[in-house]
Amino acid sequence: MRREPVIFMTLFGLLLSAGCAENGVEEPEPAVTPAEKPVVPAEVPQTPAEIVENPENNTSNQTAVENMTVPETEIPAETLAETAETQAEPKTVEVKIKDFAFNPDSITISSGDTVRWTNLDLFTHTVTGPDFSSGTLRDGDSYEFTFTREGTYRYYCSIHASMEGVVIVGG
């Protein structure tokens, strides 16, 4: 058996006992009174520091760069509305065919939106445009077309040439 561990343990024990009672008299513990619990601010979780090249010597040495907290900035309401509008789900816009007219006769939609024409006349009509054609629509029939490209699309009823409408597709 080696002597060093035994000697170390003996010295350690002596140091512990000497530290507990320097003069051999035990001091009483102070009376505990209720105290307010200190408020400790919550820690903000930090992601690990990024490693970037040291630009001073262009060697492969890398230096840790601490993450910086960027103050929050207020985003204007107009920007939020525009963002929400551009990310909105595609919608369907209704156009009624009644009294030999498209109502409304002009609509503006976003790319990806659908237009649904519904014939509410007792007479047969069509919806005919440069890229779409409904065929004949009897009373109560509907026709839908989804516009995927920006532009202005003029359409008409091929049976009643005076019936005209326009769809304006924006971004």
Side-chain angles (χ1 to χ4, degrees):
M1 182 163 156
R2 297 185 73 183
R3 289 183 153 185
E4 291 91 9
V6 173
I7 294 171
F8 176 74
M9 294 300 284
T10 305
L11 287 175
F12 184 70
L14 287 174
L15 286 173
L16 281 177
S17 62
C20 290
E22 290 177 15
N23 58 6
V25 178
E26 251 185 70
E27 293 187 26
E29 288 188 30
V32 177
T33 58
E36 271 189 38
K37 190 173 186 177
V39 177
V40 179
E43 288 188 33
V44 177
Q46 295 288 324
T47 56
E50 294 179 37
I51 303 296
V52 296
E53 284 190 33
N54 186 348
E56 294 171 6
N57 56 12
N58 277 345
T59 65
S60 63
N61 294 339
Q62 295 180 337
T63 306
V65 176
E66 290 186 32
N67 290 327
M68 294 177 27
T69 303
V70 179
E72 290 186 26
T73 56
E74 191 171 315
I75 300 172
E78 306 86 48
T79 304
L80 289 175
E82 289 171 10
T83 303
E85 218 173 85
T86 58
Q87 295 176 349
E89 291 292 318
K91 60 185 176 186
T92 300
V93 178
E94 300 284 339
V95 175
K96 307 287 187 220
I97 304 171
K98 186 169 173 99
D99 298 327
F100 293 91
F102 296 107
N103 187 16
D105 63 350
S106 178
I107 57 172
T108 301
I109 62 171
S110 297
S111 180
D113 287 350
T114 300
V115 177
R116 179 184 303 130
W117 290 269
T118 303
N119 185 4
L120 301 176
D121 264 345
L122 296 175
F123 301 95
T124 302
H125 296 288
T126 70
V127 178
T128 307
D131 296 338
F132 53 92
S133 179
S134 66
T136 56
L137 298 174
R138 291 186 168 81
D139 183 20
D141 289 347
S142 292
Y143 169 71
E144 293 183 355
F145 185 80
T146 301
F147 292 84
T148 57
R149 293 187 320 227
E150 292 183 16
T152 301
Y153 298 84
R154 298 192 181 282
Y155 64 92
Y156 60 96
C157 173
S158 63
I159 302 170
H160 309 101
S162 64
M163 293 176 57
E164 296 179 340
V166 65
V167 176
I168 301 165
V169 182

